[in-house]
Amino acid sequence: MNSTAATVIAEPVVTRVGDVCFDALRQLLDRGGLRLHAVADGAAIPGSFWGEPEAGIIGTDVYARADTPVHSLLHEACHLLVLPPERRALVHTDATDSVAEEDATCYLQIVLAEAIPGVGSLQLMHDMDAWGYTYRLGSTRAWFEQDAEDARAWLLQRGLLDANGRATI
């Protein structure tokens, strides 16, 4: 008997938007001048660069479903937060302009995770590793703690972090 079995690759177990308080996420983004929109289960996510279940961005709007990873929502939101307001308005799906902005985005999403009940920076870094983020030191935490001084300086220079490394939004 000849049968072919399909290989199913399961998505990594990470913290999803549906696992946390949506209002806490909405309030966090609101502090940065962004609007969070809940997308119905199974519906297409507007402005999603990587496709579902990844978050999407259009202008100052961030879109996510319950199955969207929190790290994805924060990452896309932080892409907008690192941009000057006049550039945010022009964003549709892809906001990265440089490696420096990408690094700043990754750093800021880790810092902002502390403001989300039930998540925190350590969990977010674990989720980023599980999802496949890669850094030359081997893990998100090693990058954040030992190799991200340029991203931190970039955020400090633009007033997105205070001298203690806390987000100013």
Side-chain angles (χ1 to χ4, degrees), residues 131-154:
W131 200 257
Y133 286 64
T134 58
Y135 298 95
R136 64 180 169 214
L137 294 183
S139 74
T140 305
R141 186 172 182 180
W143 171 78
F144 183 78
E145 293 176 350
Q146 302 168 36
D147 195 32
E149 187 55 39
D150 53 342
R152 179 180 159 87
W154 195 96

Side-chain angles (χ1 to χ4, degrees):
M1 176 177 219
N2 187 3
S3 66
T4 305
T7 303
V8 176
I9 300 172
E11 286 185 353
V13 176
V14 296
T15 310
R16 308 280 177 160
V17 168
D19 298 332
V20 299
C21 176
F22 193 82
D23 284 339
L25 296 169
R26 185 183 308 249
Q27 289 170 9
L28 176 64
L29 271 56
D30 185 58
R31 290 186 348 217
L34 306 179
R35 290 181 305 263
L36 178 58
H37 301 273
V39 177
D41 292 347
I45 299 174
S48 179
F49 183 79
W50 298 105
E52 285 85 21
E54 301 278 349
I57 51 175
I58 301 172
T60 58
D61 297 311
V62 179
Y63 298 88
R65 295 190 313 217
D67 65 338
T68 297
V70 170
H71 69 79
S72 174
L73 181 149
L74 286 176
H75 188 84
E76 297 307 322
C78 287
H79 268 302
L80 296 175
L81 293 171
V82 303
L83 294 175
E86 64 275 8
R87 282 188 49 213
R88 286 182 198 167
L90 304 175
V91 170
H92 192 300
T93 308
D94 186 6
T96 300
D97 209 28
S98 67
V99 171
E101 282 182 4
E102 184 68 32
D103 289 349
T105 293
C106 290
Y107 194 96
L108 187 57
Q109 80 185 79
I110 293 166
V111 172
L112 288 179
E114 278 302 308
I116 303 170
V119 181
S121 295
L122 290 176
Q123 180 61 49
L124 192 83
M125 288 186 278
H126 169 78
D127 289 353
M128 291 168 72
D129 289 341
W131 200 257
Y133 286 64
T134 58
Y135 298 95
R136 64 180 169 214
L137 294 183
S139 74
T140 305
R141 186 172 182 180
W143 171 78
F144 183 78
E145 293 176 350
Q146 302 168 36
D147 195 32
E149 187 55 39
D150 53 342
R152 179 180 159 87
W154 195 96
L155 292 164
L156 279 165
Q157 181 182 38
R158 287 158 179 80
L160 294 166
L161 289 182
D162 66 20
N164 296 313
R166 291 186 297 262
T168 58
I169 70 158

